[in-house]
Amino acid sequence: MSRTDEFSIQEIARAAGTTSRTLRHYDDIGLLPPSRIGANGYRYYDAASLMRLQRILLLRELGIGLSTIAEVLDGERDSTAALRTHLRWLERERERLARQIESVRSTIRKYERGEELMATEAFDGFDHTRYRDEVVAKWGRDAYDRGERWWRSLSADDRDEFQRTQREIAADFVDARARGLTPDGDEVQAITRRHYEWVQAGWQGTAPSAEAFTGLGQLYVDDPRFAANYPDSAEFVRDAMRVYADRNLR
């Protein structure tokens, strides 16, 4: 029987929707040690362990590897602040998914009734064109049209992978800032290189110039729609992009 302020490995596995084997593996690699091991050899977990496991599972959903998760969690100075950051991201995802759900419902309803379907309704929540005006203003209509053709040429799996990569990079930036790293440090610059490569893929392999890359970074700060992708870290990302551009693109 476990204490009221802790859970057995079976209880926490069942509550988290995982397995005892997974939790034992997390213990073996030092990612989630139990708060204590009973005289019977059973593992028990307290409230702090629950918070750590919740953070692990959230980061796993972003596709982040266990070794990176361990580095992130060990470097965090404030677990609740990190969870609040992730909560804001989840709330934005919930809003986006709610719009997608309503869009699909509306499509079904209108199709069944023989009503006219508006494009703005059909693709609400799928809005990859929401930055069109900014792209056209900064880099020209041709740049936007090329990107639009490229996006529409992707399969659903390719689109999901492209967006997952962006979420992973954004999470790494946010966690790097939370760990007190500096924009010009090697680890942050490695993240920024991945971000540059991601942007380059979206530009169909065309290498963004130093001016274009730093301009994009400034847009992350100036436009709340961009800044929302980097909770409390937009200026940090902008500064990292500026350093990368100065070192590698000029």
Side-chain angles (χ1 to χ4, degrees):
M1 189 74 174
S2 65
R3 302 174 183 176
T4 57
D5 59 347
E6 65 182 8
F7 300 83
S8 70
I9 191 170
Q10 293 85 4
E11 289 171 330
I12 196 172
R14 184 167 55 251
T18 186
T19 66
S20 298
R21 180 178 179 181
T22 296
L23 296 178
R24 287 193 292 270
H25 176 61
Y26 288 172
D27 181 16
D28 291 342
I29 63 176
L31 183 59
L32 183 69
S35 54
R36 75 177 180 94
I37 298 179
N40 54 8
Y42 289 177
R43 294 170 171 85
Y44 294 95
Y45 300 83
D46 59 14
S49 300
L50 290 180
M51 286 185 64
R52 186 174 176 91
L53 177 58
Q54 183 184 53
R55 190 83 171 109
I56 291 168
L57 297 178
L58 288 168
L59 292 171
R60 285 293 285 161
E61 286 189 0
L62 293 176
I64 299 175
L66 294 180
S67 60
T68 302
I69 290 174
E71 293 175 3
V72 168
L73 296 184
D74 291 343
E76 284 178 352
R77 292 166 292 181
D78 188 338
S79 296
T80 55
L83 283 172
R84 288 191 185 97
T85 295
H86 207 117
L87 177 61
R88 286 193 290 273
W89 180 86
L90 289 171
E91 287 172 339
R92 288 196 305 274
E93 281 295 288
R94 180 183 61 188
E95 293 169 0
R96 184 181 65 81
L97 289 172
R99 287 165 50 210
Q100 286 189 356
I101 290 169
E102 182 54 35
S103 172
V104 173
R105 283 177 176 165
S106 177
T107 298
I108 294 171
R109 185 170 58 249
K110 291 197 169 189
Y111 181 80
E112 290 177 341
R113 294 176 181 175
E115 298 176 0
E116 181 181 3
L117 180 65
M118 303 298 293
T120 53
E121 296 173 335
F123 298 110
D124 188 27
F126 302 86
D127 188 11
H128 63 282
T129 66
R130 61 191 181 278
Y131 304 127
R132 174 174 50 205
D133 292 343
E134 290 83 352
V135 172
V136 171
K138 289 183 174 293
W139 299 295
R141 180 75 194 191
D142 184 58
Y144 174 79
D145 288 342
R146 287 199 313 271
E148 174 73 359
R149 287 193 298 271
W150 168 79
W151 179 258
R152 292 188 179 279
S153 73
L154 296 180
S155 67
D157 287 344
D158 288 339
R159 291 181 184 181
D160 288 344
E161 175 66 18
F162 186 75
Q163 292 172 328
R164 184 183 68 80
T165 298
Q166 190 277 329
R167 291 195 297 269
E168 289 178 0
I169 293 170
D172 286 348
F173 271 128
V174 171
D175 286 319
R177 181 182 179 279
R179 287 187 285 140
L181 301 182
T182 59
D184 60 351
D186 290 344
E187 184 173 343
V188 176
Q189 283 301 294
I191 299 170
T192 311
R193 176 182 54 76
R194 288 164 49 211
H195 183 56
Y196 181 81
E197 291 170 352
W198 177 82
V199 172
Q200 185 176 14
W203 287 21
Q204 302 166 48
T206 301
S209 66
E211 291 72 20
F213 196 55
T214 55
L216 182 62
Q218 187 61 46
L219 200 58
Y220 291 170
V221 174
D222 295 341
D223 192 318
R225 293 169 299 173
F226 282 90
N229 293 317
Y230 307 98
D232 303 324
S233 300
E235 293 183 357
F236 179 85
V237 176
R238 176 202 61 193
D239 293 346
M241 293 170 69
R242 184 176 296 156
V243 170
Y244 184 88
D246 289 341
R247 291 180 180 176
N248 301 283
L249 306 178
R250 297 190 188 280

